[in-house]
């Protein structure tokens, strides 16, 4: 049996309420929220953090990394290769990135499933987006940020099996974003709605007929479309009940997460489903894909609820923070020297340690170091070190300082000295934290972040975040 073995999600801590955004333009709105990536998060960093939760500790069985996004950090440089380095995978792993359409996610899932079936190896498939719409637009109001990753492979531990799929390609001008334009555009609502409903009905009908199923036979349905209203109309067209749309509820809390959206809702469905149930995932964009899943008995053993856990904490932000972080307005960054562009030779020397968060450990006395060292300060041995991963290690704040002078899009900057459980110490920036909740002794975990961008070159590293329940998810 080939299907989904594990999954992980990354939903940013920050939320923008629809009332806050509408109020900026003097309008009223319903009570909903959208997840907003922090100023130091992008599609790649979110995909990495979701993938870290999906692969857990072992990456030996993974032969492919397939990443789907319409908002990559680079148009000519593969983020999937960066993900492989961060996850500390073998250099023989295959990597691929897809984009250009909302269907990139379902297409990528099918590619990963075909790879797992043909090669008899696991595939890691990740979906993430940080889309932006014009101010005061429906796309801005409903688009959120997030990432979700799945490990697809063969085995008895499969949570849900892909039973069948139908794809339908249809060339129409309904929604687009050109290379030189920062915002997603859409045609007039009535035309877009007509095309959307035709695509959905055509694709779903074909899939259900192939498997001799009726709409009321499906236990859980995910419909990913341009707007929440169109998704509701599609459910009525397909004669689905509100009880079947179990995955859609999370959308009012995080928004439409681009290519991640259908599988973010699917992950939410898994947390509400039982064994031996049908789950239908419908994803529209330049046509339509419909994927039919059947859950297994392994799902009943799953105790974790990644989506619910990620939604358990949040911090509301202002609309001014939102436009600043999304770089929708030119903002004075402070009159300080700019960070230098990342040096390619220095990056080559360090990226096998800095990206996967690997240091060294003394073979004689087992003292760990980050960054890696040649000389042990405990037993003074020389060149007697082995690689040692600090990823996933618990850390505790030994001391910290709050800096109001350093420029940051989310001032103040909190710098901490972190002591690792088992040894090792590092100076690190604390991300996403409420400064009132930071205390000496607070436990931290680690999040992959974008440190800064200069001259089109991105610089990524790790930041500490407070453990869930102490001010951060």
């Amino acid at each position: 049996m080939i299907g989904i073995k594990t999954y992980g999600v990354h939903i940013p801590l920050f939320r923008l309420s629809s009332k806050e955004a509408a109020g900026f333009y003097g309008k009223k709105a319903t009570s909903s929220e959208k997840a907003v990536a922090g100023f130091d998060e992008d599609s790649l960093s979110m995909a990495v953090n979701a993938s870290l939760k999906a692969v857990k500790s072992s990456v030996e069985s993974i032969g492919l990394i397939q990443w789907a996004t319409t908002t990559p950090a680079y148009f000519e440089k593969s983020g999937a290769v960066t993900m492989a380095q961060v996850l500390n995978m073998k250099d023989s792993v295959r990597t691929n990135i897809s984009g250009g359409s909302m269907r990139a996610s379902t297409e990528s899932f099918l590619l990963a499933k075909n790879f797992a079936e043909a090669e008899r190896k696991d595939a890691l498939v990740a979906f993430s987006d940080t889309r932006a719409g014009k101010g005061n637009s429906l796309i801005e109001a409903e688009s959120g940020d997030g990432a979700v990753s799945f490990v697809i492979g063969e085995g008895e531990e499969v949570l849900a099996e892909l039973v069948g799929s139908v794809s339908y390609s249809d060339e129409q001008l309904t929604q687009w974003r050109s290379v030189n334009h920062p915002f997603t555009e859409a045609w007039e609502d009535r035309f877009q709605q007509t095309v959307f409903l035709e695509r959905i009905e055509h694709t779903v009908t074909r899939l259900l007929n192939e498997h001799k199923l009726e709409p009321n036979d499906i236990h859980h349905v995910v419909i990913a479309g341009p707007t929440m209203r169109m998704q509701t109309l599609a459910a009525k067209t397909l004669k689905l009940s509100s009880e079947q749309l179990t995955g859609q509820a999370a959308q009012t809390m995080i928004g439409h997460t681009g290519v991640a959206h259908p599988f973010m809702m699917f992950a939410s469905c898994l947390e509400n489903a039982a064994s031996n149930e049908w789950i239908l995932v419908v994803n529209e964009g330049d046509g339509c894909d419909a994927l039919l899943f059947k859950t297994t008995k392994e799902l009943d053993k799953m105790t974790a609820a990644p989506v619910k856990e990620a939604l358990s904490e949040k911090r509301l932000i202002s609309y001014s923070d939102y436009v600043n972080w999304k770089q929708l307005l030119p903002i004075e960054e402070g009159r300080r020297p700019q960070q230098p562009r990342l040096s390619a030779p220095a990056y080559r020397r360090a990226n096998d340690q800095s990206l996967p968060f690997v240091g060294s450990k003394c073979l004689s006395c087992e003292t760990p170091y980050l960054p890696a060292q040649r000389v042990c300060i405990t037993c003074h041995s020389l060149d007697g070190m082995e690689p040692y991963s600090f990823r996933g290690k618990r850390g505790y704040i030994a001391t910290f300082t709050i800096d109001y002078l350093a420029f940051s899009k989310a001032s103040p900057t909190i710098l901490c000295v972190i002591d690792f459980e088992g040894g090792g110490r590092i100076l690190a920036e604390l991300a996403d934290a409420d400064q009132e909740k930071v205390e000496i002794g607070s436990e931290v975990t680690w999040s992959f972040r974008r440190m800064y961008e200069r001259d089109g070159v991105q610089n990524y590293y790790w930041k500490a975040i407070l453990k869930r329940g102490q001010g951060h998810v």
Side-chain angles (χ1 to χ4, degrees), residues 310-321:
L311 292 172
S312 64
E313 288 192 28
K314 65 181 180 181
R315 284 180 61 189
L316 293 173
I317 62 170
S318 66
Y319 190 74
S320 61
D321 284 333

Side-chain angles (χ1 to χ4, degrees), residues 353 358-388 390:
Q353 296 180 11
V358 170
S360 62
K361 185 171 70 172
C362 179
L363 292 170
S364 299
C365 65
E366 298 189 342
T367 301
Y369 296 94
L370 187 68
Q373 302 294 316
R374 292 184 60 197
V375 179
C376 178
I377 62 172
T378 302
C379 68
H380 309 295
S381 64
L382 174 63
D383 291 333
M385 300 283 180
E386 65 176 352
Y388 181 78
F390 284 84

Side-chain angles (χ1 to χ4, degrees), residues 17-127:
S17 74
S18 55
K19 290 182 177 181
E20 166 70 17
F24 181 85
Y25 297 100
K27 295 186 174 182
K28 295 182 180 180
T30 58
S31 297
S32 62
E33 296 173 351
K34 58 186 258 181
V36 178
F39 75 95
D40 54 358
E41 294 182 288
D42 63 8
S43 291
L44 177 58
S45 70
M46 293 194 300
V48 166
N49 288 318
S51 298
L52 286 167
K53 297 166 187 173
V55 301
K56 304 189 186 320
S57 58
S58 175
V59 297
E60 296 299 318
S61 64
I62 294 175
L64 169 71
I65 295 180
Q66 173 71 39
W67 179 35
T69 183
T70 63
T71 53
Y74 296 101
F75 286 110
E76 189 174 334
K77 188 180 185 309
S78 175
V81 175
T82 307
M83 289 175 62
Q85 185 75 26
V86 176
L87 295 170
N88 209 13
M89 293 188 173
K90 296 178 180 178
D91 57 13
S92 59
V93 68
R94 295 184 190 177
T95 56
N96 189 47
I97 177 172
S98 299
S101 168
M102 290 297 100
R103 282 175 62 204
S105 54
T106 40
E107 291 169 347
S108 292
F109 189 96
L110 293 172
L111 284 171
K113 186 260 184 182
N114 290 340
F115 171 87
E117 195 169 40
E119 301 291 333
R120 290 295 185 259
K121 294 180 181 178
D122 290 349
L124 173 66
V125 57
F127 319 105

Side-chain angles (χ1 to χ4, degrees), residues 393-414:
K393 304 293 182 186
R394 292 181 182 178
Y396 300 90
I397 296 177
T399 187
F400 67 94
T401 183
I402 300 176
D403 189 344
Y404 288 89
L405 297 179
F407 172 75
S408 171
K409 289 183 179 292
S411 184
T413 299
I414 305 175

Side-chain angles (χ1 to χ4, degrees), residues 403-435:
D403 189 344
Y404 288 89
L405 297 179
F407 172 75
S408 171
K409 289 183 179 292
S411 184
T413 299
I414 305 175
L415 295 172
C416 301
V417 175
I418 307 293
D419 285 334
F420 289 96
E421 187 175 58
R425 169 174 281 193
I426 188 175
L427 176 65
E429 187 174 336
L430 188 66
D432 301 352
D434 182 346
Q435 62 181 354

Side-chain angles (χ1 to χ4, degrees), residues 215-216 218 221 223 234-242 244-245:
N216 57 10
I218 308 300
V221 180
I223 300 175
K236 292 180 179 179
T237 300
L238 297 173
K239 297 180 173 57
L240 300 171
S241 67
S242 58
Q244 291 172 283
L245 305 175

